[in-house]
Amino acid sequence: MAHLRPIRALGTGALIVVAACGGDAPDRPELPPLAVSSDVPFCQSVAQAVNAYHAEQSAAHPRPADPRYGGTVVVAGGGDFRGGLNALTTGDQTDQETELHLLHVTLTRFAADRTPEPYLAESWTLEDDGSGITFRLRDDVMWHDGQPVTAEDVVFTYRRAMDPATGFLNVGWFQFYDADAVEALDDHTVRFAFTPHAEVMDPFSNMAIMPQHLLGDVPPAEMGGHPFGTDCPVGAGPYVFEAYRPGDQWVLRANPAFPEDLGGRPFLDRYVYRVIPSSSTRAGELAAGGVDVALGLEPVDAEAVAARDGVRLAAFDSRSFSFIGWNPRLPGLSDVRVRRALTMALDREALLETLRGEYGTRVETGVPDFHWAYDPDLQGPPHDPEGARAMLDEAGWTDRDGDGVRENQAGDELRFDLVTNSNTERETIARIMADELGDVGVAFDLQVVDNQTLGARLGNPTNRDFGSFILGFAPDFNINERDFFHSSSDATGYGWSALNDPELDRLLDTLPRIRDRDQARPLWAEYQQRIVELQPYTYLFFSQRLNGLNADLAGVEMDLRGELINVPAWYWNPETN
Amino acid sequence: MLSYAIRRLAVAVVLAFGVATVCFALVWFAPGDERSDLLLSGRGAVVDTGPEPGLVEAYGDWVGSLLRGDLGTSERSGNVARWLLARLPHTLALSVSGLVLAVVFGVGVGVLQAARAGTVLDRLLTLGTVVAYSAPAFWVGILLGGAFIHKPMELGMEPLFPLTGVAPPGGATSLLDYIPYLVLPALTLGIVLGAGIARYTRAAMLEALAQDYVRSARARGLSEMRVLFRHGLRTALLPLISLLGVYLPVLLTGAVFVETVFSRTGIGLAMMEAILGQDLQVLMGGALMFGFAAVVGNLIADLLYGWADPRIGDAVRG
């Protein structure tokens, strides 16, 4: 059965009609040679080396005849990677995934069952007493400029990440590491030393290795704004950086030299990430064929995608939850009764139903129901506006001047800033929240900013001038909320709602040291109970991630581990395309 | 004519200076602590240079860096001048093509209406132009997207134009590659602005057609087309030129919404992002650019006017 079907010829705007029958290879033209260019001095020689090595390797490893090879995929997401693709300085979800799975490599990576499997490290040995681990690295992984990846790069990366001057967001991973925790035993062997602790393997799948030969001379404090991240990021992963057009797109090219054992050359020649801030525009572009994958759709757009021919919806559990954060440094919010009352005044069940419909699950803490430490018996504060009013009265906040907003004895109003990013879902939460909490006499002044500004405002330990905020967060598989709630986290980036509670501190100090899960479980239940009592956040829901895909795009895996985990194995279905 | 041109140019320079001063004053006198970052960032990376300078010194420094083309540095966007200039071509392409479409569409509809004044067609077109004139640009953009992309797809056809972006994924290989991406945004601007021009052209044409010389032209037996275009339109078009000068800034601000709807990485979208990101450096740079564009637009309109209407030049000479 022969049938004709037009495909878009990417890059030319013309139409090419191919006959897709009898397994004929689709005609996908080879791309012109890689031409990274930059007007930044640091990047000029880097770009030259990358272009030369890519040309050499493309000649040495021509595209296989398998019809799955070739073509471009265009992925649309809501935010630009302003900080670039330097894994030491970035922290947003999509840029992190782009680093971990496309541009860079990690020591290990998560298999489907969430256990670590070999990647840059071909094997490892955990010491019996749990005080160290030694990795044996592959010797066939090359930086995109042709230099070999060695143990020195691993040492450099982890040392920089642990150095507070770098400002690496997840320093919490290294809480139990010795000061000189990482050393190279030879060119391809690295040892880490630490105090025995739980979930030791987790960081190794999350920390992308950075090139020591390019960044070694950059002072840690200058890593953030360094042009390496935006103008010439060099990795060792399956995709090579090609171009960045600020606010518009990131273009990556298949790495022909990626080791066969690790998947070899990716099927798709080119990976383009486009910035399209609005969810409905992303869905519209997917329907119009302008993009092939639309990430992070809102439920209403996801339903439109699900109803259309030629596209399909990938809905899967994600690690991301939404919450309202409180600033416990402020009068009013420092009182646990006030925080509890705020949670009780909000109808969280109705909120979830309104916003996510079937694509979400209620939560009471940051420990999701798919996590081994989850306590199924946990009860959160009920929806009880009357109870909330009584509790606020008891805390000394009453409406003394009859204007509908409560005051304390000094006459200060129970009124807070509410900061969130521009996103329909969050703005809706803000409106419902202002409404329902207004009913019990608490007032909010809404401020809508963009992602990056929100992050900068919340993450600045020296100036925490917000009252409350609505945010989403995706924890690692290893949950460690020390950076958020421990009294010592007040001085760190994530410590926006840091509490000063000795009981919670004790749990946060103890939990990460217990290596045996069965032993840790009762303590985890205690921890979740304490979080519910203290209400540093009003927890809303875990969202399912909703991505729209072109139905001809095959081989796509998206799950709890992420949505870009297997991009090198994506391909255009030769039967239909 | 030359002295007229020189005089207009001098006025434009003074005006541009005034625009810059107003921008400076807005930030300087605004409450909050933004001003030090914003107005002093032109002093290079060094912010901590002892006591904060006074109004006069800060203003002098700021004008100085402005004259060197230095719009300061923003934490979010880096060098502001570089950030905005990289986006300028996309906005210019959109504005110029939008303006051309607006003039073609507006003058065409206006002339047609004047020629058929009082008929059902005239009334329908009046209704249409009033609706288009009052419609927000982003809404027109969304409708066009529906008409040219989603509707054809529902009917099983390929979409006629790309919906968003400025160039094909992976980059343009020739200038022609940019054109399909320009169609819908330019059409949006053209419709919204053209409606105003049509309203104006119709009124001016009717007024011109009521003049004595038009009646005598008809009496001399000239064809209706000739009367319409040679005697009517020519007179009616003159004031349109100055209207276009006023339209230039409207075009640019229209670009803010149109670029946002179509995700075009121009100055308008940069301004939108800067608003959400509280990126005051970029906002101020963009405001200056838009202000200067208005001044330049008016200058061009004045010069064209002087060239098109000999009376202006005469008045200056006399």
Side-chain angles (χ1 to χ4, degrees), chain A residues 82 274 285 287-288 450 452-453, chain B residues 76 87 153 159 164 170 276-277:
Chain A
R82 293 267 183 130
R274 275 196 57 194
E285 267 289 24
D450 72 357
Q452 206 190 7
T453 310
Chain B
R76 262 172 71 90
R87 288 152 177 259
M153 300 231 6
T164 64
L276 286 173

Side-chain angles (χ1 to χ4, degrees), chain A residues 524-539:
Chain A
W524 270 107
E526 222 179 291
Y527 173 76
Q528 290 164 72
Q529 186 56 44
R530 191 68 191 146
I531 289 288
V532 165
E533 281 160 20
L534 293 173
Q535 292 291 306
Y537 299 161
T538 293
Y539 286 88

Side-chain angles (χ1 to χ4, degrees), chain B residues 104-125:
Chain B
V104 170
F105 165 69
V107 171
V109 170
V111 169
L112 183 65
Q113 281 192 276
R116 299 274 180 276
T119 62
V120 176
L121 177 70
D122 178 31
R123 293 208 186 114
L124 282 179
L125 285 174

Side-chain angles (χ1 to χ4, degrees), chain A residues 404-415:
Chain A
V405 181
R406 292 170 185 266
E407 291 89 19
N408 62 5
Q409 222 150 16
D412 302 325
E413 285 193 323
L414 199 51
R415 173 184 287 279

